[in-house]
Amino acid sequence: MIDITDHGQIRELRLARPPANALNPELLHRLADELAAGSSSGSRAIVISGRPGMFTGGLDVPELLRLDRAQMREAWKVFFDVQRRLAASPIPVAAAITGHSPAGGAVLALYCDYRVMADGAFKIGLNEVQVGLCPGPVIYAVLRRLVGPRHADQLISSGLLLTPAQALEIGLVDRIVPEGEVVPAAVAWAQSMAALPPKAVAATRRFARQDLIALLEGLGPNDYQMMVDAWFSDETQRTLHALVERLKKRG
């Protein structure tokens, strides 16, 4: 589910769950493990990438709809565990956004230090509300931290998906490059970070990202229960099942 390539001191974690690199609990567990392993293996930075044309399509809704309440609670916990590991990573992390990156894909990118996106007919954004989901206060806070309150309010309330140029304009991504140059550009940025004194980088990251870590460490049982209740609400279930039927018709 994840292909690992070491570019010297830079570890690339390429999501490899075709066709859309959809985030199911198994992939999320693997990603959490590899993020931990990358920071303890001697790597000086991490790049998360996808396949050409698709970073990740977000949460695997068809699979998640088959889970019961206890299983869905665990799915939410591992999804936020990945976010926690990204926020608290002692080494820099770049997102090589190789194509489309809606919903959960955009969430992963939010926590990275640097985001390079492929130029082309691709979209990125938090479109959860369009499929009956509320991203919640933690993800909203991370988005607001990155793009500011005005853009965050507009994006999260409407579920708008942006082109690479639009994402660059508001600071949702840091750079857009031709599709074939996304991973090399992300690796080059990571190498520039790896050239800095590592202890100074780690110490600076700890205080610079403390607000992100605090947001995620503040999540408790009641928060996960609210997420589960929202997932199993009539409106959300109806909207998500309609989404799955549309996806089936597309083939």
Side-chain angles (χ1 to χ4, degrees):
M1 287 194 173
I2 296 178
D3 293 334
I4 300 172
T5 302
D6 287 321
H7 306 266
Q9 294 179 305
I10 312 305
R11 174 156 291 187
E12 179 188 354
L13 305 177
R14 184 174 71 86
L15 304 178
R17 185 174 180 250
N21 290 335
L23 303 171
N24 69 344
E26 185 179 357
L27 176 55
L28 289 166
H29 275 295
R30 179 76 189 280
L31 181 56
D33 289 344
E34 293 300 342
L35 287 169
S39 62
S40 63
S41 67
S43 298
R44 296 282 296 278
I46 291 172
V47 170
I48 302 175
S49 65
R51 67 168 178 81
M54 179 66 70
F55 181 57
T56 165
L59 294 178
D60 189 337
V61 172
E63 180 171 331
L64 296 182
L65 282 173
R66 296 195 291 268
L67 303 184
D68 61 24
R69 283 180 169 266
Q71 292 169 325
M72 195 62 217
R73 181 187 182 91
E74 291 306 308
W76 282 130
K77 288 176 71 174
V78 69
F79 182 47
F80 279 90
D81 183 46
V82 170
Q83 295 174 54
R84 187 178 296 107
R85 289 180 186 272
L86 285 169
S89 173
I91 58 176
V93 183
I97 306 169
T98 49
H100 293 297
S101 186
V107 171
L108 295 185
L110 289 178
Y111 287 91
C112 293
D113 301 82
Y114 190 73
R115 289 154 291 274
V116 183
M117 186 171 185
D119 197 9
F122 305 120
K123 293 295 183 72
I124 184 172
L126 298 168
N127 62 322
E128 284 87 347
V129 71
Q130 294 189 15
V131 295
L133 294 172
C134 172
V138 171
I139 292 172
Y140 169 72
V142 179
L143 177 65
R144 191 176 191 270
R145 182 184 191 268
L146 185 63
V147 303
R150 178 171 172 270
H151 292 307
D153 290 355
Q154 291 175 339
L155 292 177
I156 211 162
S157 298
S158 66
L160 183 66
L161 290 171
L162 303 178
T163 66
Q166 290 170 329
L168 180 66
E169 183 178 2
I170 68 168
L172 186 59
V173 301
D174 299 289
R175 186 181 177 191
I176 54 176
V177 298
E179 188 175 341
E181 298 177 18
V182 177
V183 172
V187 169
W189 175 86
Q191 289 170 334
S192 73
M193 295 298 294
L196 299 174
K199 290 183 180 179
V201 169
T204 303
R205 288 174 59 73
R206 278 196 296 273
F207 73 74
R209 298 170 72 83
Q210 187 55 48
D211 59 327
L212 295 180
I213 298 168
L215 282 170
L216 292 156
E217 289 182 342
L219 289 174
N222 290 339
D223 297 290
Y224 290 114
Q225 187 58 50
M226 286 190 290
M227 294 177 202
V228 171
D229 291 342
W231 177 267
F232 283 98
S233 71
D234 289 342
E235 179 183 89
T236 297
Q237 287 288 300
R238 187 168 56 251
T239 307
L240 290 174
H241 279 283
L243 169 66
V244 171
E245 287 305 311
R246 290 197 302 273
L247 293 175
K248 287 180 181 178
K249 290 178 182 178
R250 291 178 190 173

